[in-house]
């Protein structure tokens, strides 16, 4: 179009269709496709990029370097049009791609350089080293100095690190080891503890059980103790004091600390008859530093004593006795027989000295114990036993029959009470249960009786030499029963007369079974036994003479233990025997009075009668007159029976 | 006699005594495993010092029909020990399960019992009760505090009154954990549940 030519030809200039035609309608209307928005365009372009292509090309290049140049050229020429077209298409991303590739290359190179620098210090060299060509430059002295300095610095750094490491290792190894050992010890100890004591875990703490609940105790005290780990400070403190440290610590409730024992005294007025200690002398004092086993045992003992005393005190209050039992503080006083008291005392020594110097207290207590060296241990044992029996009975009752009946009928007779229609009195009898205090009272009563009996027997055996009293105590004894055999005999004549007597000592009276089968019941009073023995001695003398006379073929004219004539003895009965010599000429009469002793009388001969013719028989020649007493002290002989033996022998041969 | 007797009887309190209730948990165990359970119980229970407590009881259940409906009846249980001939008979009444509290972990039922002479079965017959069923229970008894654990095997009679020829009912044993206590003692149930937990892998005790 020429601007100069104004011929008036108008040309309409229309811009090219900007939008693509999507479709042309039947009426010729064109529908244009909507232009792509910026983001849609981006997406479209991005869709066209073939990311894998480039890599493939690269790979192809690397893997096939030997491809002939020609081939490659051909390929290139073939692809020439396509690639140019693609290059156009990829235009917006090309720059990004290039930059990324460059960056990757650079990073790779950098990595290689770093690697070479790091690994290639020593041969064999893995990488090629670029070195300056020797001769081109000579290292200056300055450079060497710098290098030296550098090396020194790095060595120093390394040394510092190594040293710090060594120090820390040294430190940690010692403390770790200690901690480890402690930890191990703790678990070992815990294992050992678990073998002896009941433990359970509550939250983070370990609790143990000292109580006797599992064996049937119903005491209120829980008896809980806590197990903890010994802290380091405590550990060190123990070491410093020279005590074997233990990594396990037990914390016992404060009221169970210390030691306690139950002291049972039998007092007659102020004097002690028997006493028993319920304590372990070895653990008379327990220190805080003691091994946990000892401490726990002591604490359990305290608990046991507490329970025992509580039980006794409760029973003492409930029991109705003619002389009421007195419970004052830690002491129970009850009367067993008039004048004799049983005192049960709970002694608790809460003093826990933490050091080892427990000896002074211990030594102080020692003389007291020595004084009671011959104390009897019955009471101590029975106190133990009785409470344990109580525990046991709490757990173990007889099986109810049939099994569906309740446990409350602990007694078979009680179960039968209904069917057998027992009356009120019988049932109340069934329900009477002996409590611990009653049992211990009975036992102490028995001990008093036994001790008194022994004392009387010993005293009399020592005081009376003629005849001899021999006492044989039975070795086997029961808590409420003891038997003793008493033999009365004369030395040298044992095979003749031997009076025996058995005493069975109960808790209320003493039963004496005499030789002739009589049973005598003696009270707790010493006098009774003394009297009985005195009478027995007196009878023994007569009995011995009787036996002796028989063996000497004397005629027994009269033999009686209960002489009704003559002066009445102050005690018991006089016994008497009258014997005649074999030839009938002499008559000997012996009368033994328990208090006065024996009297021997010999019938006097009276030959004053004149011979007459009326009485011619020779037997009338000697007529006896009155009796005359023999002074036995003038007759030689070891004892009464020996003297009688001599006397009778003499008279028989007259 | 009113038709509501079973309920009424349950609420009757024994004269002078508290209103007793039985707390029960039951389970079963096969014969083969019973020995393991007995071992477990020996470890847990109290009365094991003198060996195992065995029992052999004979129980007769009597019923009295009180109305036209068949299920309306009063049951009384007469039980005696076969081991000890001179032991008394026991008359037991077990009430219906108390369903008032669903959250309760154990069966609670009212309980009445009395020990009687050996004329009990005859007496029950005379007053109109009829024998419903009878069985012999053999087994072990354990006690743990107030709790009673019975591990028993039930036998039925082949011929009436023939104790020699008994026939086992099942090849398993009944395990019963029970406490008889005054009503309202709720912590018993918890104790029982705790105890039952300890028998868990061997026997699962539950309320019936």
């Amino acid at each position: 179009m020429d601007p100069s030519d104004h011929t008036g030809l108008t040309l309409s200039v229309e811009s090219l269709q900007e939008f693509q035609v999507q479709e042309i309608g039947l009426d010729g209307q064109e529908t244009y496709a909507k232009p792509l928005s910026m983001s849609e365009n981006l997406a479209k372009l991005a869709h066209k990029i073939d990311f894998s292509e480039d890599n493939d090309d690269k790979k192809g290049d690397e893997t096939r370097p030997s491809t002939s140049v020609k081939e490659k050229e051909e390929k290139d020429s073939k692809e020439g049009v396509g690639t140019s077209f693609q290059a156009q298409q990829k235009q917006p991303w090309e720059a990004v791609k290039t930059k990324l590739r460059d960056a990757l290359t650079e990073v790779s190179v950098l990595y290689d350089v770093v690697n070479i620098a790091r690994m290639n210090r020593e041969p064999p060299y893995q990488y090629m080293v670029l070195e300056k060509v020797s001769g081109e430059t000579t290292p200056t002295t300055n450079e060497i100095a710098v290098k030296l300095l550098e090396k020194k610095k790095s060595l120093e750094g390394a040394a510092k690190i190594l040293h710090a490491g060594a120090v820390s290792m040294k430190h940690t190894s010692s403390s770790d080891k200690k901690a480890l050992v402690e930890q191990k010890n703790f678990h070992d100890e815990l294992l050992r503890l678990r073998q002896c004591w009941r433990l359970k875990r509550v939250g983070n703490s370990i609790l143990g059980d000292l109580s006797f609940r599992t064996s049937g105790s119903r005491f209120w005290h829980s008896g809980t103790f806590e197990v903890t780990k010994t802290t380091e400070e405590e550990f060190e403190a123990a070491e410093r004091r020279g005590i074997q440290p233990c990594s396990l610590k037990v914390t016992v409730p404060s009221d169970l600390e210390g030691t306690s024992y139950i002291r049972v005294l039998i007092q007659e007025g102020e004097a002690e008859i028997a006493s028993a200690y319920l304590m372990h002398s070895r653990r008379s004092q327990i220190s805080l530093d003691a091994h946990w086993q000892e401490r726990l045992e002591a604490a359990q003992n305290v608990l046991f004593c507490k329970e025992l005393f509580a039980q006794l005190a409760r029973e003492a209050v409930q029991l109705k006795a003619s002389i009421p039992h007195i419970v004052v503080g830690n002491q129970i006083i009850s009367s067993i027989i008039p004048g004799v008291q049983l005192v049960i005392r709970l002694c608790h020594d809460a003093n826990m000295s933490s050091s080892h110097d427990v000896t002074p207290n211990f030594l102080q207590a020692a003389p007291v114990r020595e004084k009671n060296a011959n104390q009897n241990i019955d009471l101590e044992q029975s106190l133990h036993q009785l409470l344990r029996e109580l525990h046991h009975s709490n757990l173990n009752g007889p099986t109810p029959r049939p099994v569906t009946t309740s446990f409350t009928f602990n007694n078979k007779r009680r179960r039968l009470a209904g069917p057998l229609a027992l009356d009120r009195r019988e049932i109340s009898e069934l329900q009477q249960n002996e409590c611990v205090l009653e049992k211990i009272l009975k036992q102490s009563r028995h001990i008093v009786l036994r001790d008194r009996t022994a004392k009387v027997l010993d005293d009399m055996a020592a005081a009376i030499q003629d005849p001899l009293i021999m006492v044989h105590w039975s070795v086997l004894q029961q808590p409420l029963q003891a038997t003793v055999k008493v033999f009365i005999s004369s030395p040298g004549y044992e095979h003749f007369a031997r009076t025996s007597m058995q005493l069975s000592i109960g808790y209320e009276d003493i039963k004496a079974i005499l030789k002739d089968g009589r049973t005598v019941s003696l009270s707790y009073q010493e006098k009774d036994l003394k009297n009985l023995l005195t009478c027995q001695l007196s009878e023994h003398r007569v009995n011995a003479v009787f036996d002796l006379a028989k063996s000497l073929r004397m005629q027994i004219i009269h033999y009686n233990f209960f002489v009704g004539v003559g002066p009445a003895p102050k005690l018991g009965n006089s016994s008497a025997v009258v014997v005649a010599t074999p030839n009938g000429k002499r008559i000997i009469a012996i009368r033994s009075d328990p208090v006065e002793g024996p009297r021997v009388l010999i019938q006097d001969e009276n030959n004053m009668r004149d011979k007459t013719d009326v009485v011619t028989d020779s037997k009338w020649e000697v007529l006896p007159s009155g009796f005359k007493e023999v002074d036995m002290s003038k007759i030689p002989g070891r004892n009464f029976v020996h003297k009688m033996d001599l006397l009778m022998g003499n008279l028989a041969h007259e | 006699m009113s038709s509501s007797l079973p309920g009424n009887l349950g609420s009757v309190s024994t004269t002078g005594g508290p209103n007793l209730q039985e707390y029960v948990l039951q389970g079963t165990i096969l014969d083969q495993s019973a020995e393991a359970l007995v071992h477990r119980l020996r470890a847990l229970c109290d009365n094991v010092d003198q060996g195992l407590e065995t029992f052999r009881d004979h129980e007769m259940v009597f019923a009295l029909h009180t109305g036209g409906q068949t299920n309306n009846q009063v049951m009384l249980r007469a039980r005696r020990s076969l081991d000890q001939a001179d032991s008394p008979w026991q008359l037991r009444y077990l009430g219906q399960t108390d369903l008032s509290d669903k959250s309760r972990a154990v069966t609670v039922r009212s309980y009445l019992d009395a020990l009687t002479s050996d004329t009990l079965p005859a007496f029950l017959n005379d007053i109109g009760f009829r024998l419903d069923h009878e069985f012999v229970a053999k087994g072990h008894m354990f006690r743990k505090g107030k709790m009673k654990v019975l591990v028993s095997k039930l036998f039925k009679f082949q011929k009436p009154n023939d104790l020699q020829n008994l026939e086992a009912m099942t090849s398993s044993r009944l395990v019963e954990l029970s406490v008889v206590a005054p009503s309202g003692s709720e912590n018993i149930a918890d104790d029982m549940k705790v105890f039952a937990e300890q028998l868990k892998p061997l026997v699962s005790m539950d309320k019936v």
Side-chain angles (χ1 to χ4, degrees):
Chain A
M1 186 167 57
D2 190 5
S4 62
D5 187 14
H6 297 284
T7 51
L9 184 66
T10 53
L11 288 170
S12 60
V13 181
E14 204 179 340
S15 64
L16 278 170
Q17 182 62 45
E18 207 182 335
F19 305 131
Q20 281 185 330
V21 179
Q22 193 178 7
E23 72 173 319
I24 300 166
L26 289 175
D27 54 350
Q29 185 112 27
E30 293 173 335
T31 316
Y32 306 116
K34 261 192 176 171
L36 290 168
S37 70
M38 190 66 175
S39 61
E40 280 168 337
N41 197 24
L42 180 75
K44 198 178 161 192
L45 288 170
H47 187 70
K48 281 184 180 164
I49 301 172
D50 185 359
F51 286 100
S52 58
E53 179 207 24
D54 216 55
N55 285 341
D56 288 349
D57 282 356
K58 203 178 160 192
K59 211 193 256 172
D61 290 348
E62 283 164 5
T63 51
R64 284 179 283 127
S66 60
T67 322
S68 64
V69 181
K70 196 184 168 188
E71 206 180 345
K72 200 173 182 184
E73 274 173 2
E74 270 180 22
K75 204 177 170 190
D76 279 356
S77 63
K78 254 189 236 169
E79 285 177 358
V81 190
T83 43
S84 64
F85 173 75
Q86 272 185 359
Q88 275 178 0
Q89 291 280 321
K90 282 176 191 170
Q91 205 66 43
W93 295 93
E94 200 58 48
V96 180
K97 199 177 106 184
T98 325
K99 279 189 179 165
L100 277 174
R101 278 183 80 168
D102 290 349
L104 178 66
T105 317
E106 270 172 47
V107 168
S108 303
V109 170
L110 204 62
Y111 174 71
D112 285 346
V113 170
V114 168
N115 254 354
I116 290 162
R118 227 183 90 237
M119 315 275 287
N120 229 31
R121 285 190 186 152
E122 288 171 17
Y125 301 111
Q126 285 176 324
Y127 296 91
M128 191 178 68
V129 182
L130 290 171
E131 278 184 340
K132 283 175 184 173
V133 182
S134 55
E136 271 189 2
T137 51
T138 48
T140 56
T141 48
N142 197 17
E143 263 178 43
I144 293 168
V146 167
K147 261 190 185 166
L148 262 174
L149 207 69
E150 221 168 77
K151 271 191 181 163
K152 201 178 161 191
K153 209 172 178 183
S154 51
L155 273 173
E156 216 170 290
K160 204 177 271 175
I161 290 168
L162 280 174
H163 183 69
V167 166
S168 76
M169 271 177 80
K170 214 172 171 183
H171 184 72
T172 51
S173 76
S174 64
S175 71
D176 262 18
K177 213 169 161 189
K178 205 169 164 189
L180 208 73
V181 166
E182 261 173 51
Q183 186 76 17
K184 197 171 165 284
N185 278 350
F186 175 71
H187 286 124
D188 278 356
E189 295 278 324
L190 197 63
L191 184 73
R192 238 167 284 149
L193 186 72
R194 275 199 64 182
Q195 286 168 352
C196 308
W197 303 90
R198 282 160 58 86
L199 295 179
K200 65 178 173 188
R201 196 170 157 176
V202 180
N204 274 335
S205 49
I206 305 171
L207 296 183
D209 187 8
L210 283 174
S211 72
F212 292 86
R213 207 146 297 176
T214 47
S215 58
S217 160
R218 288 176 188 162
F219 194 45
W220 57 270
H221 202 293
S222 67
T224 316
F225 66 92
E226 198 184 347
V227 182
T228 47
K229 220 176 126 178
T230 318
T231 60
E232 216 160 289
E233 293 88 65
E234 285 167 331
F235 208 84
E236 280 164 12
E239 267 181 347
R240 234 178 288 132
R241 280 190 296 157
I243 303 157
Q244 182 73 34
C246 182
S247 47
L248 189 140
K249 197 174 80 172
V250 290
T251 315
V252 173
S254 58
D255 55 342
L256 296 185
E257 275 178 358
T259 47
S260 65
Y261 55 92
I262 288 201
R263 201 169 174 204
V264 187
L265 296 170
I266 299 174
Q267 285 178 336
E268 188 167 14
E270 287 302 306
E272 287 176 16
I273 295 178
S275 66
Y277 288 99
L278 188 72
M279 76 185 286
H280 302 277
S281 55
R282 192 162 63 82
R283 298 186 195 106
S284 56
Q285 193 89 9
I286 195 92
S287 79
L288 269 172
D289 302 324
H291 192 252
W292 48 258
Q293 181 70 23
E294 279 174 39
R295 284 192 58 201
L296 289 180
E297 275 173 22
Q300 196 169 40
N301 192 36
V302 174
L303 185 67
F304 190 82
C305 292
K306 268 180 192 280
E307 181 179 354
L308 184 55
F309 190 81
Q311 175 77 24
L312 289 172
R314 194 169 57 241
E315 288 171 0
V317 174
Q318 282 170 359
L319 265 187
K320 285 183 178 65
S322 52
I323 303 169
H325 309 289
I326 308 162
V327 182
V328 187
N330 277 348
Q331 195 162 308
I332 301 169
I333 302 168
S334 43
S335 148
I336 37 180
I337 51 178
V340 182
Q341 285 179 328
L342 178 75
V343 181
I344 301 170
R345 205 177 288 157
L346 174 69
C347 305
H348 185 104
D349 178 15
N351 178 27
M352 297 270 288
S353 60
S354 59
S355 63
H356 274 262
D357 50 33
V358 291
T359 32
N361 212 338
F362 182 80
L363 283 177
Q364 277 171 13
V368 183
R369 218 169 297 131
E370 267 171 31
K371 206 168 76 183
N372 294 314
N374 54 357
Q375 64 175 292
N376 69 55
I377 53 167
D378 290 2
L379 290 177
E380 174 184 352
Q381 283 186 344
S382 37
L383 276 171
H384 260 298
Q385 272 174 10
L386 290 173
L387 190 59
R388 296 219 191 266
E389 267 168 29
L390 192 75
H391 287 171
H392 189 260
S393 69
N394 282 346
L395 280 187
N396 296 283
T399 310
R401 305 282 171 180
V403 279
T404 41
T405 47
S406 72
F407 290 136
T408 42
F409 301 134
N410 51 3
N411 186 321
K412 190 178 164 192
R413 257 183 76 76
R414 175 89 174 79
R415 271 203 292 283
L416 281 166
L420 291 179
L422 296 188
D423 61 19
R424 192 191 162 95
R425 186 182 51 83
E426 285 167 316
I427 290 174
S428 66
E429 266 172 26
L430 281 180
Q431 278 176 329
Q432 266 177 3
N433 258 339
E434 232 179 17
C435 60
V436 176
L437 186 66
E438 277 177 310
K439 285 177 187 162
I440 205 76
L441 281 176
K442 270 186 184 173
Q443 291 191 9
S444 41
R445 214 174 284 147
H446 170 71
I447 287 169
V448 173
L449 274 184
R450 205 179 55 198
D451 286 2
R452 283 189 172 182
T453 309
K455 197 167 165 285
V456 169
L457 289 175
D458 285 354
D459 286 353
M460 287 191 75
I464 299 165
Q465 295 297 330
D466 177 31
L468 280 184
I469 300 173
M470 281 179 288
V471 181
H472 291 289
W473 285 92
S474 164
V475 180
L476 298 172
Q477 292 187 358
Q478 287 178 318
L480 297 179
Q481 183 84 22
T483 49
V484 53
K485 279 206 152 186
V486 182
F487 295 105
I488 305 167
S489 66
S490 303
Y493 295 89
E494 283 91 350
H495 54 284
F496 283 135
R498 199 171 144 96
T499 304
S500 65
M501 173 169 74
Q502 181 168 324
L503 301 175
S504 71
I505 304 158
Y507 54 89
E508 264 169 356
D509 56 359
I510 304 168
K511 268 206 176 67
I513 301 162
L514 306 181
K515 192 188 177 186
D516 51 1
R518 276 183 301 151
T519 307
V520 182
S521 191
L522 307 171
S523 77
Y524 59 88
Q525 285 178 328
E526 293 156 340
K527 201 175 68 195
D528 287 12
L529 181 62
K530 223 177 242 176
N531 291 349
L532 178 75
L533 265 179
T534 317
C535 293
Q536 287 294 306
L537 287 172
S538 142
E539 281 184 20
H540 169 79
R541 283 189 199 107
V542 172
N543 195 9
V545 172
F546 171 74
D547 283 351
L548 184 69
K550 269 205 299 191
S551 75
L552 292 174
R553 294 170 193 280
M554 300 263 185
Q555 291 174 35
I556 312 296
I557 296 165
H558 179 82
Y559 177 47
N560 192 358
F561 286 134
F562 307 99
V563 179
V565 293
K570 284 176 189 149
L571 178 75
N573 293 299
S574 305
S575 36
V577 62
V578 180
V579 294
T581 50
N583 55 17
K585 283 186 176 168
R586 295 281 184 167
I587 289 175
I588 309 164
I590 299 121
R591 181 193 169 98
S592 178
D593 183 300
V595 181
E596 309 284 332
R599 282 173 71 205
V600 181
L601 298 125
I602 297 174
Q603 199 177 43
D604 218 4
E605 245 178 296
N606 193 354
N607 281 345
M608 302 304 281
R609 184 183 294 271
D610 299 324
K611 278 189 180 169
T612 59
D613 297 333
V614 181
V615 183
T616 54
D617 198 345
S618 64
K619 72 177 181 185
W620 301 110
E621 278 175 13
V622 182
L623 282 179
S625 58
F627 281 93
K628 277 190 178 167
E629 191 171 347
V630 180
D631 186 358
M632 291 303 280
S633 61
K634 296 263 170 69
I635 296 178
R638 288 193 302 279
N639 52 39
F640 177 71
V641 181
H642 190 213
K643 284 176 181 177
M644 285 307 294
D645 191 10
L646 294 176
L647 181 69
M648 285 198 274
N650 269 324
L651 292 175
H653 290 97
E654 263 182 15
Chain B
M1 207 174 277
S2 77
S3 60
S4 61
L5 184 73
N8 281 346
L9 196 54
S11 61
V12 167
S13 67
T14 47
T15 46
N19 202 355
L20 287 177
Q21 282 187 312
E22 190 183 29
Y23 297 72
V24 195
L25 278 176
Q26 283 175 329
T28 61
I29 188 160
L30 285 171
D31 283 348
Q32 300 95 283
S33 322
E35 202 181 335
L37 178 71
V38 168
H39 275 299
R40 182 85 187 112
L41 285 168
R42 283 186 82 163
L44 291 171
C45 293
D46 293 340
N47 63 330
V48 287
D49 290 0
Q50 294 110 1
L52 285 175
E53 289 283 6
T54 56
F55 70 90
R56 204 160 60 100
D57 285 359
H58 173 207
E59 182 158 329
M60 300 167 89
V61 182
F62 288 86
L64 178 70
H65 295 274
T66 52
Q69 295 157 325
T70 47
N71 58 351
N72 201 357
Q73 56 185 12
V74 187
M75 303 270 253
L76 287 178
R77 288 152 189 277
R79 190 162 175 139
R80 67 170 164 144
S81 169
L82 296 174
D83 296 331
Q84 289 182 5
D86 58 342
S87 69
W89 280 73
Q90 185 199 24
L91 176 64
R92 232 172 7 137
Y93 168 77
L94 300 176
Q96 269 149 5
T97 309
D98 183 1
L99 297 169
S100 61
D101 185 2
K102 288 264 193 305
S103 66
R104 225 182 252 148
V106 299
T107 309
V108 179
R109 55 194 183 192
S110 55
Y111 180 93
L112 290 172
D113 81 324
L115 293 166
T116 70
S117 59
D118 56 0
T119 50
L120 177 65
F123 173 74
L124 286 174
N125 250 323
D126 290 349
I127 60 170
F129 281 84
R130 289 292 167 263
L131 184 65
D132 193 64
H133 59 277
E134 60 180 332
F135 60 88
V136 170
K138 282 184 198 175
H140 300 296
M141 190 214 76
F142 298 91
R143 53 195 289 183
K144 171 81 181 167
K146 280 181 178 176
M147 282 180 271
K148 183 192 291 178
V149 187
L150 298 177
V151 182
S152 52
K153 190 160 177 64
L154 303 182
F155 295 87
K156 61 184 172 194
F157 287 87
Q158 284 180 332
K159 277 181 260 171
N161 295 323
D162 185 7
L163 283 166
Q164 301 306 317
N165 297 312
L166 295 168
E167 187 190 339
M169 282 193 199
T170 56
S171 60
S172 56
R173 290 179 198 197
L174 174 69
V175 186
E176 204 171 22
L177 173 62
S178 64
V179 177
V180 175
S183 61
S185 23
E186 283 302 317
N187 51 350
I188 288 176
D190 300 333
D191 290 349
M192 288 171 70
K193 206 67 199 163
V194 168
F195 188 80
E197 280 298 315
Q198 296 182 311
L199 301 174
K200 216 46 183 276
L202 290 164
V203 58
S204 156
M205 311 279 279
D206 216 338
K207 61 176 175 177
V208 265

